[in-house]
Amino acid sequence: MAREFTSVGVVGLGTMGAGIVEVFARNGIDVVAVEISDAALDRGQAILTGSTDRAVARGKLAEADRDALLARITFAVGLDALHSVDLVIEAVPEHLDLKQRIFAELDRVCKPEAILATNTSSLSVTEISVATARPNQVVGIHFFNPAPVMKLVEVVRTVVTSADVVADVEALCERLGKVDVTISDRAGFIANALLFGYLNHAVDMFESRYATREDIDAAMKLGCGLPMGPLALMDLIGLDTAYEILDTMYRRGGRDRRHAPVPLLKQMVTAGLLGRKSGRGFYTYERPGSPKVVPDEQTPTTTEPALTDTAVSKVGIVGSGTMATGIIEVFAKAGYEVVSVTRGAEQSAKVFEAVQTSLNKGVVRGRLSEADRDAALGRINWSATLDHLADVDLVVEAVVEELSVKKALFASLDEICKPGVVLATTTSSLPVIEVAMATQRPADVVGLHFFNPAPAMPLVEIVRTIRTSAETIATAQAVSATLGKTGVVCGDRSGFIVNALLFPYLNDAVRMLEASYSTTDDIDHAMKLGCGYPMGPFELLDVVGLDVALAIQRELYLELREPGFAPAPLLEHLVTAGYLGRKTGRGFRDHTRR
Ligand SMILES: NC(=O)c1ccc[n+]([C@@H]2O[C@H](COP(=O)([O-])OP(=O)(O)OC[C@H]3O[C@@H](n4cnc5c(N)ncnc54)[C@H](O)[C@@H]3O)[C@@H](O)[C@H]2O)c1
């Protein structure tokens, strides 16, 4: 007979505990919510009323339902109040000794048949369970932040957890409207094991001034469609909690350097900058607990970058591939006079047709008038010789991704173009400084990394080499803005911001699959439902192409020499086998049968 859960207990009403209480009470289950002191209880209660009041204000919860929800909760100080509940979920700070003490106490207080669950993100559920005399009734129930919103629950089964306990907890998750993935006890489980290396890397980029907090966050939101940037997410998680999770993952997860907390994190925690909950973390908030970011001394001034005397009106675009075609369309639509240079009339005709087809689609969808389409096409001049770039103000190079080809091209541009012109490369993996040094004017050379498809993707990475001048960067920013794109500035390292943060995460997902820890479906689910990613890692890899992912991952590994960046053998084997993703019909999934 499956257990009936009519009342549950929640220990600790912080960021997670308060949300977990709300989840149960919303679903008609009585909750006993306990804290360590009256003051902490008041804080927890305030989080709950704040969250339910917001739900009422947004029309997501009726007032009567909120009142009924709150009436189901009993608040108390101390664990004794939990004597008759059917299940307890512990959500106290991420310290093993604290959790073990609480479990030993719960074991004494709770009725014998009660299930004891921990919401730990990284500690060993097994080690917590052995603090009790009923380890077979101990399980991990890992909710995601914010608990009332995120659909995923990771159910963590240890080697001693009874099968019926797991089954009952899975049924409970379903009743709560959650999707569960059941996994064994490994540091970080699925989602955090894939998430925290990425978050730590983003903090490292910030600490080393590789890019600003706003640019790092904008890059991941706009480049990958994530609901929040990594630094804003750290603030939501809580920097103290994030620090503990990283520290545990480092120690439990094979001492992967990528999990060693970046020193800045420890400093911020020590200084009381814990994120949203303390009102200040990477960003500053209106008040403690508020989600509203307010300007501080790091906030960039909002004045539009001025189009100074380097004003750009005529742009040369070199290349005839997917990226060049998209970039020609973007500039022509934004009102620039464009000179397209390809290797011959045949290529130019092909590009013209592609641009025309894409603009026609815009007309059919009502996004562009026929007159604007014709005007955009009329602004493009077609050429097969670089000599026509003698009077342009900006050149964007988007030829094949080979250093020797790009260097030769930049040497020619250096001879042909007038002084003061900005020379940009769209390379996604080569060092921009290499092409800059092929010219006599490296201060004028910059990376302009567009994303595919260029007309649709709102992000441009503006890559500053150690020789790029401030004026060149300002021009690149101004041009990005007039194209309607968000330009983020970063240093000249392999992968810039987006690929450097995205691909190691994808590679880690492949390693997790390779280790048989979980399945493609569960890993994809975990990242979509637990972290709000628009696609799971395997869905994305199949779209991007496994060969492309492998090439980028190799570049990152070769440049940064980070052992954790070594391409997963499974990725290499799939590429060798010709399983490249959607484009060949098969990658991690078989697309021919769908
Ligand atoms: N923050 C996240 O995004 C997140 C997501 C999933 C899981 N978790 C996990 O949830 C757990 C809680 O994390 P958090 O971020 O909510 O922490 P938090 O610091 O926001 O809250 C912890 C709460 O526990 C209370 N507490 C401390 N000792 C207690 C005791 N002896 N008895 C009762 N209450 C006590 C504190 O007063 C505080 O209110 C951790 O194990 C964490 O790893 C966190």
Side-chain angles (χ1 to χ4, degrees):
M1 259 278 285
R3 285 177 182 78
E4 273 291 324
F5 295 99
T6 49
S7 77
V8 306
V10 175
V11 185
L13 305 180
T15 308
M16 288 311 291
I20 295 169
V21 170
E22 184 179 332
V23 170
F24 281 104
R26 260 187 195 227
N27 285 280
I29 298 172
D30 290 336
V31 186
V32 182
V34 307
E35 257 292 352
I36 194 168
S37 65
D38 286 321
L41 205 56
D42 289 345
R43 266 199 316 272
Q45 231 165 335
I47 301 180
L48 241 155
T49 39
S51 166
T52 47
D53 286 352
R54 274 197 301 276
V56 170
R58 288 196 197 128
K60 289 194 181 146
L61 186 69
E63 251 177 75
D65 290 340
R66 177 206 41 207
D67 297 344
L69 182 164
L70 293 175
R72 281 186 206 109
I73 308 169
T74 313
F75 292 94
V77 171
L79 302 181
D80 287 341
L82 301 171
H83 53 84
S84 56
V85 298
D86 305 309
L87 162 78
V88 178
I89 300 193
E90 161 281 309
V92 304
E94 190 79 342
H95 298 292
L96 183 62
D97 52 346
L98 172 65
K99 294 199 191 254
Q100 284 181 323
R101 254 187 292 127
I102 287 186
F103 271 72
E105 182 71 18
L106 287 172
D107 193 30
R108 272 191 296 280
V109 169
C110 296
K111 56 188 188 187
E113 63 275 26
I115 293 176
L116 307 180
T118 171
N119 185 50
T120 183
S121 310
S122 59
L123 295 168
S124 160
V125 179
T126 317
E127 281 183 59
I128 295 171
S129 76
V130 293
T132 74
R134 55 176 111 177
N136 58 326
Q137 280 162 243
V138 175
V139 68
I141 305 186
H142 185 229
F143 285 87
F144 286 77
N145 189 359
V149 180
M150 302 312 286
K151 279 248 172 274
L152 184 75
V153 174
E154 288 173 326
V155 174
V156 185
R157 156 180 22 104
T158 75
V159 286
V160 288
T161 314
S162 309
D164 61 299
V165 168
V166 174
D168 292 345
V169 167
E170 287 173 340
L172 175 66
C173 291
E174 202 179 326
R175 179 172 161 200
L176 298 174
K178 300 288 184 192
V179 174
D180 91 276
V181 294
T182 301
I183 42 186
S184 58
D185 187 14
R186 203 174 110 159
F189 315 126
I190 298 178
N192 286 348
L194 297 181
L195 186 69
F196 271 83
Y198 147 68
L199 294 177
N200 205 35
H201 190 176
V203 177
D204 181 53
M205 282 183 174
F206 174 73
E207 187 189 50
S208 60
R209 296 168 191 254
Y210 180 66
T212 64
R213 60 182 186 187
E214 282 83 4
D215 281 0
I216 293 170
D217 279 353
M220 295 314 285
K221 275 170 66 173
L222 303 177
C224 304
L226 302 186
M228 352 175 55
L231 301 176
L233 178 55
M234 285 297 257
D235 277 358
L236 174 70
I237 291 169
L239 269 53
D240 49 345
T241 302
Y243 176 86
E244 293 301 333
I245 292 173
L246 280 165
D247 192 51
T248 316
M249 286 188 35
Y250 175 73
R251 282 185 281 108
R252 281 187 72 205
R255 300 195 179 253
D256 183 337
R257 275 206 316 241
R258 293 177 304 153
H259 293 140
V262 169
L264 177 66
L265 266 180
K266 179 77 181 189
Q267 293 159 27
M268 291 176 77
V269 172
T270 308
L273 309 178
L274 305 184
R276 277 193 197 181
K277 61 184 162 190
S278 70
R280 180 142 187 205
F282 289 102
Y283 296 89
T284 303
Y285 299 85
E286 203 171 30
R287 63 190 132 68
S290 163
K292 190 163 176 239
V293 173
V294 294
D296 59 19
E297 68 281 1
Q298 284 181 51
T299 307
T301 45
T302 47
T303 47
E304 288 290 314
L307 279 169
T308 52
D309 35 327
T310 50
V312 172
S313 58
K314 191 167 180 183
V315 180
I317 295 161
V318 187
S320 54
T322 313
M323 288 314 289
T325 306
I327 294 167
I328 290 169
E329 177 182 337
V330 168
F331 275 96
K333 258 201 311 210
Y336 289 93
E337 195 184 336
V338 173
V339 182
S340 156
V341 179
T342 70
R343 274 169 301 155
E346 206 180 302
Q347 278 88 354
S348 291
K350 207 184 76 196
V351 177
F352 170 78
E353 216 168 284
V355 173
Q356 194 180 35
T357 307
S358 175
L359 290 172
N360 279 340
K361 269 192 207 146
V363 173
V364 171
R365 293 192 185 136
R367 288 201 220 115
L368 193 71
S369 72
E370 285 186 21
D372 286 344
R373 172 199 60 197
D374 296 342
L377 282 172
R379 280 185 211 108
I380 311 171
N381 305 288
W382 304 96
S383 165
T385 160
L386 294 173
D387 294 340
H388 288 132
L389 300 179
D391 64 342
V392 299
D393 310 306
L394 163 70
V395 179
V396 180
E397 163 279 311
V399 303
V400 66
E401 189 77 343
E402 254 173 59
L403 189 56
S404 57
V405 177
K406 294 203 194 257
K407 277 166 91 164
L409 174 61
F410 271 75
S412 307
L413 291 174
D414 193 22
E415 281 171 16
I416 293 164
C417 295
K418 64 185 184 189
V421 172
V422 169
L423 303 178
T425 170
T426 56
T427 181
S428 24
S429 62
L430 301 169
V432 178
I433 190 67
E434 292 267 7
V435 293
M437 294 312 286
T439 73
Q440 302 297 316
R441 42 174 123 175
D444 302 339
V445 178
V446 67
L448 271 187
H449 185 227
F450 286 83
F451 288 74
N452 188 16
M457 294 296 286
L459 184 72
V460 179
E461 286 173 322
I462 299 171
V463 185
R464 175 179 36 206
T465 77
I466 42 173
R467 300 284 299 261
T468 312
S469 71
E471 296 77 53
T472 302
I473 294 293
T475 305
Q477 285 175 308
V479 168
S480 304
T482 53
L483 297 177
K485 310 270 183 212
T486 298
V488 296
V489 180
C490 63
D492 184 20
R493 269 201 236 158
S494 181
F496 310 135
I497 301 175
V498 173
N499 287 353
L501 291 177
L502 178 68
F503 282 87
Y505 143 76
L506 296 174
N507 193 50
D508 286 345
V510 180
R511 282 186 185 282
M512 184 177 275
L513 183 69
E514 198 169 28
S516 300
Y517 180 60
S518 186
T519 62
T520 41
D521 286 352
D522 277 0
I523 296 172
D524 276 352
H525 266 132
M527 297 317 290
K528 286 196 288 188
L529 303 176
C531 305
Y533 281 39
M535 281 190 196
F538 299 109
E539 283 173 324
L540 185 57
L541 280 162
D542 275 3
V543 169
V544 169
L546 274 56
D547 50 341
V548 174
L550 178 60
I552 294 175
Q553 193 60 31
R554 271 197 189 131
E555 289 287 342
L556 288 170
Y557 178 56
L558 288 178
E559 179 167 304
L560 302 169
R561 305 283 163 160
E562 169 56 62
F565 286 173
L570 177 61
L571 185 61
E572 308 216 16
H573 290 185
L574 288 165
V575 171
T576 308
Y579 294 168
L580 307 185
R582 286 187 177 270
K583 59 188 168 190
T584 60
R586 182 158 177 185
F588 285 95
R589 293 193 173 86
D590 185 349
H591 301 281
T592 54
R593 282 194 264 138
R594 287 172 189 229

